[in-house]
Amino acid sequence: MDQLLPPEIVEAGQTFPAALAACGDLDALLRLKGAFVGREASHATRLMELLKTAPKEQKRELGAAINGLKQQWEEGLKARQAELEAAKRKLGALAATWDPALPPPQPPRGALHPLNRLMDRLVEVFRPMGFHVEEGPEVETEAHNFDGLNIPEDHPAKASSDTFYLAAHPELLLRTHTSPVQVRTLLRVAPDLAARGGIRFLAPGRVYRKDEIDPTHSPMFHQVEGMLVGHGIGMQHLKGTLEYALRALFGPDTEIRLRPSYFPFVEPGCEVDVSCPLCGARGCRVCKGSGWVEILGAGLIHPNVLAYAGIDPKEWSGWAFGMGVERMAMMLSQTPDLRLFFENDQRFLKAMGGLD
Amino acid sequence: MWIERKVLAQEIPASAELDTRQLCEVLAALGFPVDGVATLEGTEALDVDITANRGDAMSHRGIARELAAKLQQPLAPIATGLVSEGAALVPVRLEAEACPIYATAVLALGEGVTPEVAQSFLRALEASPKRLPAVDASNELLLRYGHPTHAFDADAIRGAVAVRWAKAGETLVTLDGVTRTLMERDLLIADEAGPIALAGVMGGDRTKVTEATRRVLLESAWFEPKVVRATARRHSLHTDASHRFGRGADPAMARVARDLLVARLQAWCQAKLIGAWTAGAVPVPAAPVELEMALLARVAGEIVTLEAAQEALTRLGCAVTAAGDRLRVVSPTWRHDLAIAEDLAEEVLRLRGYEHLPSVLPPMEGPPEHLAPAYLLRQRVARRLAQLGFHQTVTYGFISPEADALFASADNPAAGRTLANPLGYEYSVLRASLLPSLKTTAEQNLRQGSRLVQLFELAPAYRSTPAGPLEQVALAAVWGGVLGGEDYLSPARAVLEADLAGLARDLELPGLPTIHRLADGLFGFEIELEALPRPQDRIIPVFRPFSRFPSVERDLSLLVDLGQSYAALHQAMSAALPAGSLLELRCVDVFRHKSLPEGQQAWLLRMRFQADRTLVGDEVDGWVAAALVAAESLGARLRA
């Protein structure tokens, strides 16, 4: 009987069950229905035309075949339609008797990296005091990374055991701190510093030191640098700013403590502790029972740093601080291993990062 | 450095009255935080953190001196004048300015070993006693008083001793048995047969003290810190001596330490002093530094009286004279870090305690500055991506050459981006693209069972230029795994290239970036951040009138060739319609199936029309017909 039918229709008929099963919704089914039994240009209409022009002696047999085929198609379509409608009804029923305990479709939710989040938070905290963000390149010159910061020619940090250098450009290195941004910014603003009324900024960014990767060391990490230059700036202003910022960060009851220390680019220099934000200074594992946690290094900008940038240290003065972001993140989150921050496991990022 | 409390109390008896916690707090307030407390050899010791500028504090005496100034308590006296000097038994010539003073003595050693108390002190401070009194006494003196000394076997020395610069190519076998080829900038001690010590760093093997040594020649000198640091670095030879000399020892201690060493050897092993003498003298102190009271008040945030400042500096050992509104200050011989007025201001505040500093917010002197557009753009993009389900990553800026080569263009050779001293081969090239790092990270997440991985990073990528690597902030996003299927309403399907294209549209990228198939079912793209549209200057856009009349929607199902360009079809159909009539034309379904004619697919195109009036069916029919004609001109035909 099949030899009476055009081969493409025979083939279409053979693929019909699969096509039927592939229809995932009523729209798709409707399209399939159109192609097979539609009123225009469908397989069925073609078959009817075939029947009209067929020799009389074949009409009977062909008619039976066509009817069989059409019936098979229509029944298939009808059954599939019933299935799809049932599914739709089921969905409707689900919607009608909604169980709020069923896991709902969840809009996607990613996360910012916790280190970026912490840096953003610091910017937010300093913003109301008029600080903006300055940035600089990670590939730096020795001049910006060391010389402009009053770091002596023979300082051990310059050694290739501590600092990464570029093979093809021996004068270039990967910055070892965000402090070169100080140098770049001061050099840029020096000519119109008076018109600006000094400058105050944060410089968050990535820095590199030649440390092996272990639970507390990473060859790449993040710092946030802060700097303020103005008239008559002293240690009281450093203390006042940090007190405001660290209270905004850790809570209004936070106390801060300045201790003398030494960094070549500041004088006087200090380290700053905060009352332990985890135990409220009662003493815990994080503050080793002392109630204090070291949070950053700071001081008044060394006159040589201002002079290097062409700023008269007799007229201008200022303060600067530098803070390790990973250290702070690990302390606040009690993350046991620094490497987790660079592994980027989505489970860690989701749990630690959040959206803002 | 470890400071043993018992020995500290010998230097400053008042320290014994403080409990450990109090002592730690006083030290921290002075700038010497205590990193740990341990009981060593039955006595308590503190691990005191001493900054590199304070060579003078790197001993029990040095810490005691600081405590004495702070607590205003006396230091135990050091016995001086124990040794009377005579004529030089061996000529000592100081041929370099870097060594202004060299005190020495020759002793005949007798019977006896290092006393147990000294051995125990050395052990407690992790300096293993050698049981040779001359060596142990020198080490004990260093830890106690901070002044490095050295003992030579006097009978191994040939002729006169000179402190001189090395000649290029000279060699010296140091105490550690290593043959060192010296350079002209190395300062050394030499006899007439050649070098016998690297000045301030390490003695030589030929003249070392052994069990067989009968007579010793002592060295207690002072060497220029810079010179010692350079030699120690050049030869990678960091010793207790180079650590102290390199950070500035006290030249006035040269004779004192020699005397103390002589006295110890006399007491420990009945050594007989044959002669003692000194070449050179303590250098003249540097010119006084002036401290203006106005500067002090500025740094301190309040008026500090001249008298208070003078008193504080005097307590620290400075010679201070008042001159009007300023102090003229000569630092003590042990302090090499007081070079400018700010250094002195710090000392006054340090002794008073930083806890007394007032706390004031700095006044604004000018208007605050804006955040840079590039910074804001990064913030905005990062937040958008996080909202869309992407996780921000932070990966290392250096990767392996193989990983780098995956996405580096031919005109961006790795040679210009390679580190001279990487941590290892796999971290040796500053990456041309963020994609290799994201690919690795994504695959790791998938391997660890993530059903869906969505990552992005905002970080510099590097391009080699003749002037060095040029960095440009790039945005890379990768996406792979299975979408949906996690609840009863969302069907599951694999992530496809099209998803990345949709993401690119969401970020309003000007065109479609190259979408890379990073692995099976893992896709990604990378763009320069510059390519993203900047936030508009206007707070809100200019108002554009919009039609309030309802739009009319028509669907066309077209059969087209599998190779048909959608863009061309879209363009042709849009062009066939009167300007302004078409609100939107989009393909809402693609149907590819065996039931369709071979080589063809069906596209369901949805057209939305709108005008400033109610549209009538005939008009829209006409437009649809026109669009169909345009489509047919490209070979499409209406599907029944």
Side-chain angles (χ1 to χ4, degrees):
Chain A
M1 180 197 352
D2 276 359
Q3 62 273 17
L4 299 177
L5 301 176
E8 68 268 22
I9 292 186
V10 173
E11 197 194 324
Q14 281 160 356
T15 62
F16 178 75
L20 200 59
C23 289
D25 56 41
L26 287 166
D27 277 356
L29 188 75
L30 225 56
R31 284 198 295 273
L32 192 71
K33 191 175 180 180
F36 278 85
V37 296
R39 262 183 236 154
E40 281 170 40
S42 71
H43 298 322
T45 53
R46 284 192 58 204
L47 289 175
M48 291 317 286
E49 275 159 27
L50 199 68
L51 187 61
K52 268 183 219 157
T53 56
K56 214 169 186 178
E57 64 278 12
Q58 284 184 4
K59 273 195 183 180
R60 191 186 157 84
E61 198 186 347
L62 188 62
I66 289 173
N67 276 336
L69 213 47
K70 272 177 69 181
Q71 196 179 347
Q72 185 195 332
W73 291 343
E74 270 163 358
E75 275 168 11
L77 286 162
K78 210 168 159 185
R80 183 74 185 132
Q81 185 170 353
E83 264 174 45
L84 290 170
E85 277 170 351
K88 203 176 167 184
R89 269 199 309 279
K90 182 190 150 210
L91 215 59
L94 275 171
T97 58
W98 174 51
D99 180 354
L102 276 174
Q106 194 78 50
R109 186 184 176 85
L112 298 175
H113 195 280
L115 296 174
N116 287 85
R117 227 181 145 202
L118 188 49
M119 290 192 286
D120 292 349
R121 180 84 184 101
L122 282 163
V123 172
E124 232 170 71
V125 161
F126 277 86
R127 212 40 208 138
M129 292 187 285
F131 286 74
H132 67 279
V133 173
E134 292 283 350
E135 295 179 295
E138 291 173 14
V139 175
E140 264 295 2
T141 61
E142 278 203 45
H144 286 129
N145 196 72
F146 295 121
D147 306 344
L149 291 162
N150 196 41
I151 296 174
E153 186 60 38
D154 67 345
H155 196 277
K158 285 189 167 187
S160 60
S161 56
D162 287 22
T163 300
F164 293 113
Y165 287 86
L166 271 292
H169 306 273
E171 73 289 359
L172 295 179
L173 48 80
L174 295 185
R175 65 179 180 188
T176 59
H177 43 190
T178 40
S179 307
V181 181
Q182 288 184 13
V183 181
R184 287 177 173 273
T185 305
L186 291 183
L187 280 165
R188 193 189 75 231
V189 302
D192 60 344
L193 195 60
R196 286 169 177 269
I199 185 157
R200 44 180 78 188
F201 63 88
L202 294 190
R206 309 198 303 178
V207 302
Y208 296 83
R209 285 184 203 170
K210 205 175 164 190
D211 285 324
E212 293 291 339
I213 301 167
D214 69 25
T216 54
H217 293 89
S218 168
M220 183 186 93
F221 56 101
H222 296 74
Q223 285 188 336
V224 174
E225 190 94 357
M227 180 174 250
L228 179 145
V229 178
H231 288 98
I233 300 301
M235 292 294 278
Q236 75 279 20
H237 296 125
L238 174 64
K239 195 173 184 178
T241 312
L242 291 177
E243 211 161 61
Y244 169 87
L246 295 170
R247 280 182 182 158
L249 213 52
F250 298 122
D253 298 329
T254 303
E255 292 298 326
I256 74 164
R257 177 172 86 167
L258 274 58
R259 286 183 287 103
S261 191
Y262 169 70
F263 308 98
F265 28 92
V266 288
E267 191 65 47
C270 62
E271 275 181 310
V272 179
D273 299 338
V274 289
S275 51
C276 181
L278 295 174
C279 65
R282 279 186 296 276
C284 67
R285 203 172 46 83
V286 170
C287 61
K288 293 186 194 123
S290 73
W292 295 100
V293 200
E294 188 186 318
I295 205 90
L296 57 88
L300 297 188
I301 305 168
H302 197 287
N304 290 354
V305 173
L306 292 172
Y308 181 92
I311 295 169
D312 180 5
K314 288 204 167 41
E315 183 189 350
W316 297 94
S317 50
W319 56 246
F321 72 78
M323 166 187 297
V325 180
E326 279 80 355
R327 187 192 159 83
M328 191 153 151
M330 281 178 86
M331 188 265 286
L332 288 175
S333 63
Q334 299 183 68
T335 301
D337 192 326
L338 178 55
R339 291 171 293 194
L340 284 164
F341 288 97
F342 305 105
E343 242 167 51
N344 300 295
D345 188 304
Q346 282 189 155
R347 290 165 293 192
F348 174 79
L349 296 175
K350 221 181 258 303
M352 308 288 291
L355 284 178
D356 53 357
Chain B
M1 141 170 217
W2 285 102
I3 297 290
E4 204 199 54
R5 284 208 61 177
K6 209 166 61 193
V7 174
L8 183 67
Q10 288 167 12
E11 295 297 331
I12 173 161
S15 72
E17 286 154 33
L18 302 175
D19 66 32
T20 305
R21 198 189 166 98
Q22 288 170 321
L23 183 58
C24 290
E25 270 171 20
V26 175
L27 286 170
L30 282 165
F32 303 101
V34 177
D35 289 342
V37 180
T39 303
L40 307 165
E41 293 284 311
T43 161
E44 198 171 55
L46 311 179
D47 185 8
V48 181
D49 189 3
I50 302 167
T51 51
N53 62 326
R54 293 302 302 274
D56 65 290
M58 291 169 184
S59 66
H60 288 69
R61 183 74 182 182
I63 291 295
R65 202 155 42 204
E66 287 288 312
L67 286 172
K70 175 76 179 176
L71 303 171
Q72 308 197 49
Q73 294 289 333
L75 279 172
I78 297 182
T80 52
L82 298 170
V83 173
S84 45
E85 297 198 327
L89 301 179
V90 180
V92 174
R93 289 195 301 270
L94 305 185
E95 295 174 4
E97 277 180 22
C99 176
I101 182 167
Y102 195 101
T104 182
V106 174
L107 295 100
L109 299 179
E111 288 302 307
V113 293
T114 309
E116 179 49 35
V117 59
Q119 289 198 34
S120 153
F121 173 69
L122 288 173
R123 275 196 301 270
L125 271 60
E126 292 165 352
S128 45
K130 304 286 181 296
R131 302 179 58 80
L132 295 167
V135 176
D136 290 342
S138 173
N139 287 340
E140 188 255 350
L141 271 178
L142 179 142
L143 294 169
R144 181 139 179 180
Y145 297 103
H147 199 84
T149 54
H150 185 66
F152 297 100
D153 185 330
D155 298 314
I157 293 177
R158 303 279 165 260
V161 170
V163 184
R164 61 164 172 86
W165 298 110
K167 298 175 187 113
E170 267 186 309
T171 58
L172 167 67
V173 180
T174 41
L175 278 177
D176 53 5
V178 178
T179 304
R180 315 258 170 196
T181 303
L182 307 179
M183 277 160 262
E184 284 173 6
R185 298 310 298 168
D186 288 330
L187 188 67
L188 52 82
I189 320 297
D191 65 7
E192 287 169 11
I196 57 171
L198 267 179
V201 180
M202 192 179 266
D205 190 63
R206 170 163 67 87
T207 52
K208 75 175 171 197
V209 171
T210 64
E211 303 271 355
T213 300
R214 292 290 150 254
R215 296 194 315 142
V216 289
L217 182 135
L218 305 182
E219 166 192 298
S220 180
W222 188 85
F223 305 106
E224 188 70 51
K226 237 186 175 147
V227 171
V228 175
R229 283 201 301 267
T231 295
R233 202 175 49 247
R234 264 199 294 276
H235 297 284
S236 299
L237 197 52
H238 298 278
T239 60
D240 280 345
S242 74
H243 195 72
R244 290 306 174 303
F245 277 129
R247 284 159 178 77
D250 179 1
M253 271 301 281
R255 276 186 182 181
V256 178
R258 188 265 326 262
D259 291 1
L260 292 168
L261 188 50
V262 167
R264 273 165 174 67
L265 293 181
Q266 287 171 330
W268 293 5
C269 62
Q270 291 94 46
K272 299 226 159 28
L273 179 65
I274 300 172
W277 68 102
T278 298
V282 177
V284 196
V289 178
E290 290 198 343
L291 175 60
E292 281 179 60
M293 287 305 107
L295 183 135
L296 179 57
R298 192 261 292 164
V299 171
E302 63 187 0
I303 304 287
V304 179
T305 65
L306 191 92
E307 292 71 25
Q310 183 166 16
E311 193 260 347
L313 292 168
T314 306
R315 255 155 63 199
L316 287 166
C318 297
V320 190
T321 50
D325 65 342
R326 62 195 61 200
L327 296 174
R328 279 208 183 87
V329 182
V330 179
S331 0
T333 49
W334 57 86
R335 292 295 297 265
H336 303 284
D337 59 324
L338 306 177
I340 58 171
E342 282 80 356
D343 294 329
L344 298 173
E346 176 181 52
E347 290 305 286
V348 174
L349 298 186
R350 190 171 68 89
L351 212 55
R352 193 178 62 158
Y354 280 12
E355 65 273 21
H356 298 297
L357 288 168
S359 174
V360 179
L361 279 175
M364 292 290 292
E365 294 182 44
E369 283 184 43
H370 300 294
L371 292 172
Y375 175 81
L376 290 173
L377 178 66
R378 283 207 314 272
Q379 302 292 312
R380 197 174 59 107
V381 167
R383 269 156 190 73
R384 179 65 189 143
L385 283 162
Q387 286 157 1
L388 289 170
F390 285 79
H391 300 82
Q392 185 174 29
T393 64
V394 172
T395 54
Y396 291 151
F398 29 56
I399 58 179
S400 75
E402 284 80 12
D404 180 69
L406 292 177
F407 294 98
S409 59
D411 62 346
N412 188 7
R417 299 179 276 114
T418 300
L419 295 178
N421 55 335
L423 261 195
Y425 181 75
E426 56 187 316
Y427 305 113
S428 59
V429 177
L430 292 178
R431 57 190 175 180
S433 159
L434 313 183
L435 285 173
S437 315
L438 281 185
K439 174 180 189 289
T440 307
T441 308
E443 286 173 335
Q444 207 167 300
N445 271 289
L446 288 170
R447 256 202 315 278
Q448 290 178 357
S450 278
R451 189 182 150 86
L452 175 68
V453 63
Q454 284 182 283
L455 303 174
F456 77 98
E457 182 153 340
L458 280 160
Y462 299 87
R463 165 166 288 280
S464 296
T465 76
L470 178 76
E471 44 189 284
Q472 256 166 330
V473 178
L475 164 68
V478 301
W479 199 350
V482 180
L483 278 173
E486 292 275 73
D487 61 76
Y488 67 100
L489 292 170
S490 321
R493 69 166 174 86
V495 172
L496 296 167
E497 280 103 330
D499 294 311
L500 275 294
L503 178 67
R505 274 209 194 166
D506 183 86
L507 297 174
E508 294 169 355
L509 295 188
L512 184 64
T514 308
I515 292 166
H516 301 276
R517 176 186 286 268
L518 302 172
D520 262 358
L522 181 68
F523 306 95
F525 66 72
E526 177 173 53
I527 54 153
E528 282 178 7
L529 200 70
E530 296 280 293
L532 282 171
R534 292 296 169 99
Q536 296 299 304
D537 285 342
R538 282 178 180 278
I539 299 167
I540 51 174
V542 182
F543 173 74
R544 283 172 55 195
F546 61 97
S547 169
R548 290 181 181 277
F549 292 91
S551 61
V552 175
E553 209 173 276
R554 290 294 173 85
D555 285 358
L556 268 182
S557 182
L558 295 181
L559 274 177
V560 297
D561 289 345
L562 278 172
Q564 174 65 47
S565 149
Y566 177 69
L569 187 80
H570 189 285
Q571 211 271 326
M573 289 172 73
S574 307
L577 296 166
S581 60
L582 186 69
L583 197 61
E584 189 181 27
L585 163 61
R586 62 186 296 146
C587 177
V588 295
D589 193 26
V590 174
F591 182 65
R592 287 178 190 161
H593 194 263
K594 282 187 289 185
S595 63
L596 296 178
E598 181 149 345
Q600 296 231 294
Q601 57 182 332
W603 283 348
L604 184 62
L605 299 179
R606 182 161 298 158
M607 289 179 279
R608 276 197 193 91
F609 300 99
Q610 195 170 37
D612 281 330
R613 57 197 151 77
T614 303
L615 290 171
V616 291
D618 286 354
E619 187 176 24
V620 174
D621 289 347
W623 289 343
V624 173
L628 181 59
V629 169
E632 282 168 345
S633 74
L634 291 177
R637 55 197 179 82
L638 191 64
R639 191 171 162 230

